[in-house]
Amino acid sequence: MTGTLIARDLQKAHGAATILAGVSVTVAPGDVLGVVGPNGAGKSTLLRLLAGVDKPDAGDVRLTSGTAGYLPQEPDRRPGERLQDYLARRTGVAAAEAHMNAEAAALADGGGEGYSDALEAWLALGGADLDVRAETVLRDLGLDVALLELETVALSGGQAARASLAAILLSRFDVLLLDEPTNDLDFDGLARLERFIADRPGGAVIVSHDRSFLDRTVTRVLEIDEILHTAAEFGGGWAGYLELRATAARHEQERFDSYAAQKDRLTARVNRQRQWSETGVKKSKGSDPDKAVVRHRAERSEKQAGKVRASEKAIERLEVVDKPWKRWELQLRFGGGERSGDVTARLERAVLRRGSFTLGPLDLELAWGERVALVGPNGSGKTTLVNALIGTLEPESGVRRLGPGVRVGTLDQARAGFDGAGTLLDAFVEQSGMTVQEARSLLAKFGLEADEVNREARSLSPGERTRASLALLMASGANFLVLDEPTNHLDLPAIEQLEVALDAYDGTLLLVTHDRSLLEAVRVDRTIKL
């Protein structure tokens, strides 16, 4: 794996909206570049340009040798596609094999000069032993190898997450381009992915919101500015980025404060000198008969006017320093509902069943105001337990009780509340009970303006659907919050605001997450492990 990816002055616009305005990137073997920035800043666009999926409006992308592989944020499971075929496609083997077969057919007809290169590319991507390696990786991930013959659309959510991870672990690209690879992974999956990134010799470009993952993997950070549409690079890994960014922000504020103080001082001097000058002029026009006194006052007034002009020029000579731009922040607050009874939810000897999966019998009680984290491997039954607690899944046996006065607010992992054909605004009004104007106002606070609220809800990005779901939760006044992987698809500033909101929330909280930084930041009373 010796390929170096070089991108120079990439520019991209969607219609009249500029996305990237001159971004350059170099990724050598062993480099792991983390790409960060607010949702909509152009992180995924940059990855698609680096992969050659999209073409830049200006600038160029060059790979010195080998292959670059792009694994997008959504797993893009396709009807009729077996898991084996999905893995071949995601690892680039399927495309390489199709090219090799085309060259082989041309070779039989007297052509096929590119067959040797096509064969070499197929071998380099691991095509010769992909089937064997796929079985091994699936077993390591706890999946039955029989799933290789199953259509990917038939996989459960946990199986699909591990299938996406398997595609990464099986890939042999020289440069790996990953968009939010940690979404839906459990702790074991995260550890496997981190080891894979650390051990591979090739370069990688990773878009991720997972701070712990970034801290463990990246060697450099590229931060995209959503206002200027440019990018700044920071060395020293994730810790170095945080330190350098904080230092740069402090220096920027100090430069502005110094400029503002100088300007204020000179402006005050100008005002004071102008007042003295005007006072002198008035006195020189008075009734004093002594012409010498009048002349003296006039001369002194002219001197003051000269001082005013000098001070004004001093202001003009100041190097203007713009006030540091304050990034838009998600103003998130939960709560406002009435207190419920002492018991929020209870399961007594409950047996829970979903398909062939069974959990229980369980005895579990959540008290009013209790803050609980629910963790466990994918497939261990976390979603099943959550659905039983909130009442969307009835126990096969046993008892489930929701306390009096409990008002449940949920953020499901799929963000399914906003996946219909209607507009986001219509869906939000229907689910929230708000007026159209109230809904528009609230969604705007979550960065969802006219362009987003009038689109089909299902056309929104995962990040936009997540923000809409959080807005709905904020409007609900829920006193029992159930959040399933809430940081998926959120950018880092929004995650930090979520942490603040959860810290201030005074109702009952059930938090299902594999985000290790979130678990460290949010105080909980106990952790339930499945």
Side-chain angles (χ1 to χ4, degrees):
M1 293 187 177
T2 58
T4 296
L5 184 67
I6 302 170
R8 289 287 178 264
D9 195 29
L10 296 182
Q11 300 179 42
K12 186 68 176 177
H14 292 162
T18 299
I19 306 301
L20 299 174
V23 173
S24 298
V25 172
T26 298
V27 183
D31 287 345
V32 182
L33 181 68
V35 181
V36 300
N39 286 341
K43 302 186 296 296
S44 295
T45 298
L46 176 61
L47 281 192
R48 292 175 65 84
L49 294 177
L50 296 178
V53 176
D54 294 334
K55 299 298 181 185
D57 299 330
D60 63 274
V61 179
R62 179 168 60 92
L63 185 61
T64 58
S65 63
T67 56
Y70 168 56
L71 284 87
Q73 183 174 161
E74 303 281 2
D76 69 335
R77 292 181 282 168
R78 300 175 181 177
E81 184 178 55
R82 300 175 308 148
L83 177 56
Q84 183 72 62
D85 301 326
Y86 166 84
L87 295 175
R89 174 169 61 85
R90 296 272 283 190
T91 56
V93 169
E97 185 170 1
H99 183 215
M100 180 181 65
N101 290 339
E103 290 292 338
L107 187 65
D109 294 334
E113 292 82 2
Y115 175 75
S116 177
D117 289 342
L119 174 61
E120 185 176 339
W122 178 73
L123 291 172
L125 288 170
D129 62 349
L130 177 63
D131 293 349
V132 175
R133 290 188 295 116
E135 292 184 2
T136 301
V137 168
L138 257 62
R139 288 193 185 96
D140 288 345
L141 294 177
L143 294 174
D144 190 336
V145 296
L147 293 177
L148 289 168
E149 299 300 322
L150 190 67
E151 289 189 23
T152 54
V153 292
L155 298 176
S156 69
Q159 290 171 335
R162 281 177 281 178
S164 294
L165 176 59
I168 298 175
L169 300 180
L170 289 166
S171 65
R172 290 185 174 176
F173 298 110
D174 292 273
V175 179
L176 196 56
L177 308 169
L178 301 178
D179 196 353
E180 299 289 6
T182 64
N183 280 350
D184 305 324
L185 292 183
D186 56 22
F187 295 133
D188 178 70
L190 289 168
R192 290 176 184 273
L193 179 58
E194 288 165 359
R195 287 197 300 270
F196 175 74
I197 296 297
D199 293 344
R200 65 186 302 277
V205 182
I206 303 174
V207 172
S208 178
H209 64 270
D210 189 320
R211 293 157 293 179
S212 294
F213 174 74
L214 291 168
D215 188 42
R216 289 170 166 84
T217 57
V218 302
T219 57
R220 294 180 289 132
V221 174
L222 186 77
E223 183 179 52
I224 299 180
D225 188 311
E226 76 271 33
I227 300 299
L228 301 176
H229 310 293
T230 56
E233 190 170 303
F234 301 83
W238 182 249
Y241 159 69
L242 294 178
E243 182 178 351
L244 290 170
R245 185 182 64 167
T247 300
R250 186 174 67 252
H251 288 170
E252 190 177 8
Q253 186 65 49
E254 288 171 351
R255 287 182 63 239
F256 174 77
D257 290 344
S258 175
Y259 161 75
Q262 290 183 66
K263 185 177 179 181
D264 289 346
R265 178 174 53 80
L266 289 172
T267 300
R269 181 196 296 175
V270 167
N271 293 336
R272 189 168 57 251
Q273 291 169 336
R274 185 176 287 123
Q275 184 178 13
W276 290 344
S277 176
E278 292 173 352
T279 301
V281 170
K282 289 179 181 178
K283 288 184 176 180
S284 67
K285 293 181 180 179
S287 58
D288 195 325
D290 190 334
K291 293 182 178 180
V293 172
V294 171
R295 185 169 57 253
H296 173 70
R297 288 174 178 170
E299 290 174 352
R300 189 171 62 181
S301 178
E302 288 178 5
K303 288 181 180 179
Q304 287 297 335
K307 290 180 179 180
V308 169
R309 289 192 294 272
S311 296
E312 288 175 338
K313 287 187 176 297
I315 293 176
E316 292 174 2
R317 287 194 297 270
L318 282 178
E319 182 182 351
V320 176
V321 178
D322 293 330
K323 186 174 183 178
W325 175 73
K326 187 175 181 180
R327 172 176 288 160
W328 171 83
E329 291 184 349
L330 179 66
Q331 299 300 316
L332 186 59
R333 296 180 302 278
F334 295 126
E338 297 180 358
R339 187 194 191 285
S340 72
D342 291 340
V343 175
T344 297
R346 176 184 293 158
L347 295 175
E348 299 175 2
R349 302 297 295 170
V351 175
L352 313 176
R353 188 182 303 278
R354 298 186 74 172
S356 60
F357 177 79
T358 302
L359 184 65
L362 294 173
D363 290 298
L364 178 62
E365 180 177 295
L366 300 183
W368 160 254
E370 192 174 15
R371 306 166 66 87
V372 178
L374 177 60
V375 300
N378 287 337
S380 61
K382 298 187 299 296
T383 301
T384 299
L385 178 55
V386 165
N387 289 340
L389 285 169
I390 65 177
T392 56
L393 175 67
E394 288 298 323
E396 186 174 82
S397 62
V399 177
R400 172 257 178 193
R401 290 191 176 91
L402 200 63
V406 172
R407 186 168 185 175
V408 182
T410 62
L411 179 69
D412 66 289
Q413 192 169 342
R415 317 301 191 242
F418 298 101
D419 60 359
T423 68
L424 168 60
L425 183 59
D426 289 341
F428 195 89
V429 167
E430 180 182 353
Q431 295 180 60
S432 68
M434 288 182 162
T435 66
V436 169
Q437 188 55 46
E438 288 171 340
R440 282 185 179 277
S441 178
L442 180 57
L443 288 169
K445 293 178 180 178
F446 284 74
L448 299 168
E449 304 283 356
D451 289 344
E452 290 82 22
V453 300
N454 292 319
R455 281 165 46 197
E456 285 188 355
R458 63 187 177 189
S459 73
L460 298 172
S461 71
E464 289 167 337
R465 288 201 302 272
T466 298
R467 279 183 279 145
S469 300
L470 289 172
L472 189 62
L473 270 186
M474 184 167 153
S476 70
N479 55 20
F480 178 24
L481 276 187
V482 181
L483 308 182
D484 195 350
E485 299 295 355
T487 60
N488 278 4
H489 313 300
L490 285 181
D491 56 36
L492 295 174
I495 291 174
E496 291 169 355
Q497 290 301 307
L498 174 64
E499 291 171 350
V500 172
L502 291 180
D503 188 64
Y505 179 62
D506 59 0
T508 306
L509 173 66
L510 181 58
L511 180 62
V512 185
T513 185
H514 293 113
D515 188 320
R516 293 157 292 186
S517 295
L518 183 71
L519 286 172
E520 291 174 0
V522 175
R523 56 187 173 85
V524 296
D525 299 313
R526 59 175 167 143
T527 299
I528 299 173
K529 297 181 180 180
L530 292 182

